[in-house]
PDB file of all heavy atoms in Angstrom:
ATOM      1  N   VAL E  61      49.996  44.444  82.759  1.00  0.00           N
ATOM      2  CA  VAL E  61      51.005  43.505  83.172  1.00  0.00           C
ATOM      3  C   VAL E  61      51.064  43.483  84.681  1.00  0.00           C
ATOM      4  O   VAL E  61      51.224  44.515  85.363  1.00  0.00           O
ATOM      5  CB  VAL E  61      52.420  43.805  82.636  1.00  0.00           C
ATOM      6  CG1 VAL E  61      53.420  42.689  83.036  1.00  0.00           C
ATOM      7  CG2 VAL E  61      52.357  44.028  81.123  1.00  0.00           C
ATOM      8  N   SER E  62      50.957  42.253  85.296  1.00  0.00           N
ATOM      9  CA  SER E  62      50.910  42.140  86.752  1.00  0.00           C
ATOM     10  C   SER E  62      52.003  41.258  87.298  1.00  0.00           C
ATOM     11  O   SER E  62      52.438  40.249  86.663  1.00  0.00           O
ATOM     12  CB  SER E  62      49.503  41.572  87.132  1.00  0.00           C
ATOM     13  OG  SER E  62      49.541  41.274  88.562  1.00  0.00           O
ATOM     14  N   SER E  63      52.445  41.569  88.500  1.00  0.00           N
ATOM     15  CA  SER E  63      53.242  40.597  89.268  1.00  0.00           C
ATOM     16  C   SER E  63      52.402  39.318  89.437  1.00  0.00           C
ATOM     17  O   SER E  63      51.220  39.321  89.411  1.00  0.00           O
ATOM     18  CB  SER E  63      53.534  41.278  90.671  1.00  0.00           C
ATOM     19  OG  SER E  63      53.781  40.256  91.642  1.00  0.00           O
ATOM     20  N   GLY E  64      53.107  38.233  89.754  1.00  0.00           N
ATOM     21  CA  GLY E  64      52.389  36.957  89.935  1.00  0.00           C
ATOM     22  C   GLY E  64      51.849  36.763  91.356  1.00  0.00           C
ATOM     23  O   GLY E  64      51.227  35.740  91.624  1.00  0.00           O
ATOM     24  N   VAL E  84      48.539  39.961  81.459  1.00  0.00           N
ATOM     25  CA  VAL E  84      49.808  39.260  81.378  1.00  0.00           C
ATOM     26  C   VAL E  84      50.446  39.201  82.770  1.00  0.00           C
ATOM     27  O   VAL E  84      50.582  40.239  83.439  1.00  0.00           O
ATOM     28  CB  VAL E  84      50.721  39.981  80.388  1.00  0.00           C
ATOM     29  CG1 VAL E  84      52.056  39.264  80.421  1.00  0.00           C
ATOM     30  CG2 VAL E  84      50.157  39.997  79.024  1.00  0.00           C
ATOM     31  N   VAL E  85      50.715  37.974  83.248  1.00  0.00           N
ATOM     32  CA  VAL E  85      51.331  37.795  84.556  1.00  0.00           C
ATOM     33  C   VAL E  85      52.803  37.480  84.450  1.00  0.00           C
ATOM     34  O   VAL E  85      53.171  36.658  83.687  1.00  0.00           O
ATOM     35  CB  VAL E  85      50.599  36.660  85.290  1.00  0.00           C
ATOM     36  CG1 VAL E  85      51.266  36.375  86.651  1.00  0.00           C
ATOM     37  CG2 VAL E  85      49.132  37.047  85.534  1.00  0.00           C
ATOM     38  N   ASP E  86      53.617  38.303  85.165  1.00  0.00           N
ATOM     39  CA  ASP E  86      55.045  38.127  85.115  1.00  0.00           C
ATOM     40  C   ASP E  86      55.541  37.825  86.525  1.00  0.00           C
ATOM     41  O   ASP E  86      55.539  38.703  87.397  1.00  0.00           O
ATOM     42  CB  ASP E  86      55.706  39.440  84.593  1.00  0.00           C
ATOM     43  CG  ASP E  86      57.244  39.313  84.435  1.00  0.00           C
ATOM     44  OD1 ASP E  86      57.796  38.424  85.020  1.00  0.00           O
ATOM     45  OD2 ASP E  86      57.775  40.129  83.687  1.00  0.00           O
ATOM     46  N   ASP E  87      55.919  36.617  86.737  1.00  0.00           N
ATOM     47  CA  ASP E  87      56.318  36.193  88.134  1.00  0.00           C
ATOM     48  C   ASP E  87      57.628  36.887  88.552  1.00  0.00           C
ATOM     49  O   ASP E  87      57.856  36.962  89.780  1.00  0.00           O
ATOM     50  CB  ASP E  87      56.546  34.707  88.121  1.00  0.00           C
ATOM     51  CG  ASP E  87      55.242  33.887  88.050  1.00  0.00           C
ATOM     52  OD1 ASP E  87      54.228  34.407  88.451  1.00  0.00           O
ATOM     53  OD2 ASP E  87      55.273  32.781  87.532  1.00  0.00           O
ATOM     54  N   LEU E  88      58.372  37.430  87.714  1.00  0.00           N
ATOM     55  CA  LEU E  88      59.654  38.143  88.077  1.00  0.00           C
ATOM     56  C   LEU E  88      59.377  39.570  88.487  1.00  0.00           C
ATOM     57  O   LEU E  88      60.292  40.266  88.877  1.00  0.00           O
ATOM     58  CB  LEU E  88      60.614  38.073  86.927  1.00  0.00           C
ATOM     59  CG  LEU E  88      61.193  36.704  86.623  1.00  0.00           C
ATOM     60  CD1 LEU E  88      62.112  36.766  85.416  1.00  0.00           C
ATOM     61  CD2 LEU E  88      61.897  36.091  87.831  1.00  0.00           C
ATOM     62  N   MET E  89      58.137  40.021  88.451  1.00  0.00           N
ATOM     63  CA  MET E  89      57.775  41.367  88.917  1.00  0.00           C
ATOM     64  C   MET E  89      57.390  41.346  90.374  1.00  0.00           C
ATOM     65  O   MET E  89      56.838  42.335  90.866  1.00  0.00           O
ATOM     66  CB  MET E  89      56.690  42.006  88.044  1.00  0.00           C
ATOM     67  CG  MET E  89      57.163  42.526  86.726  1.00  0.00           C
ATOM     68  SD  MET E  89      55.795  43.143  85.733  1.00  0.00           S
ATOM     69  CE  MET E  89      55.029  44.323  86.827  1.00  0.00           C
ATOM     70  N   HIS E  90      57.658  40.301  91.094  1.00  0.00           N
ATOM     71  CA  HIS E  90      57.266  40.182  92.494  1.00  0.00           C
ATOM     72  C   HIS E  90      57.971  41.190  93.357  1.00  0.00           C
ATOM     73  O   HIS E  90      58.916  41.872  93.017  1.00  0.00           O
ATOM     74  CB  HIS E  90      57.586  38.789  93.022  1.00  0.00           C
ATOM     75  CG  HIS E  90      59.072  38.393  93.026  1.00  0.00           C
ATOM     76  ND1 HIS E  90      59.962  38.865  93.990  1.00  0.00           N
ATOM     77  CD2 HIS E  90      59.760  37.646  92.112  1.00  0.00           C
ATOM     78  CE1 HIS E  90      61.192  38.369  93.681  1.00  0.00           C
ATOM     79  NE2 HIS E  90      61.128  37.634  92.570  1.00  0.00           N
ATOM     80  N   ARG E 136      62.367  43.911  83.907  1.00  0.00           N
ATOM     81  CA  ARG E 136      61.029  43.323  83.531  1.00  0.00           C
ATOM     82  C   ARG E 136      60.201  44.364  82.811  1.00  0.00           C
ATOM     83  O   ARG E 136      59.525  44.016  81.853  1.00  0.00           O
ATOM     84  CB  ARG E 136      60.361  42.698  84.697  1.00  0.00           C
ATOM     85  CG  ARG E 136      61.025  41.519  85.388  1.00  0.00           C
ATOM     86  CD  ARG E 136      61.653  40.563  84.431  1.00  0.00           C
ATOM     87  NE  ARG E 136      60.641  39.950  83.550  1.00  0.00           N
ATOM     88  CZ  ARG E 136      60.893  39.338  82.397  1.00  0.00           C
ATOM     89  NH1 ARG E 136      62.147  39.171  82.020  1.00  0.00           N
ATOM     90  NH2 ARG E 136      59.860  38.760  81.692  1.00  0.00           N
ATOM     91  N   VAL E 137      60.184  45.548  83.343  1.00  0.00           N
ATOM     92  CA  VAL E 137      59.405  46.601  82.709  1.00  0.00           C
ATOM     93  C   VAL E 137      60.002  46.855  81.290  1.00  0.00           C
ATOM     94  O   VAL E 137      59.202  47.016  80.314  1.00  0.00           O
ATOM     95  CB  VAL E 137      59.412  47.891  83.535  1.00  0.00           C
ATOM     96  CG1 VAL E 137      58.887  49.073  82.801  1.00  0.00           C
ATOM     97  CG2 VAL E 137      58.627  47.696  84.848  1.00  0.00           C
ATOM     98  N   HIS E 140      58.879  44.166  78.746  1.00  0.00           N
ATOM     99  CA  HIS E 140      57.521  44.308  78.283  1.00  0.00           C
ATOM    100  C   HIS E 140      57.316  45.475  77.352  1.00  0.00           C
ATOM    101  O   HIS E 140      56.545  45.429  76.381  1.00  0.00           O
ATOM    102  CB  HIS E 140      56.530  44.394  79.483  1.00  0.00           C
ATOM    103  CG  HIS E 140      56.429  43.129  80.208  1.00  0.00           C
ATOM    104  ND1 HIS E 140      55.721  41.993  79.737  1.00  0.00           N
ATOM    105  CD2 HIS E 140      56.933  42.744  81.443  1.00  0.00           C
ATOM    106  CE1 HIS E 140      55.844  41.017  80.589  1.00  0.00           C
ATOM    107  NE2 HIS E 140      56.484  41.405  81.662  1.00  0.00           N
TER     108      HIS E 140
END
Side-chain angles (χ1 to χ4, degrees):
V61 183
S62 173
S63 156
V84 176
V85 175
D86 186 338
D87 290 331
L88 292 177
M89 283 177 53
H90 60 80
R136 297 317 299 166
V137 169
H140 290 287

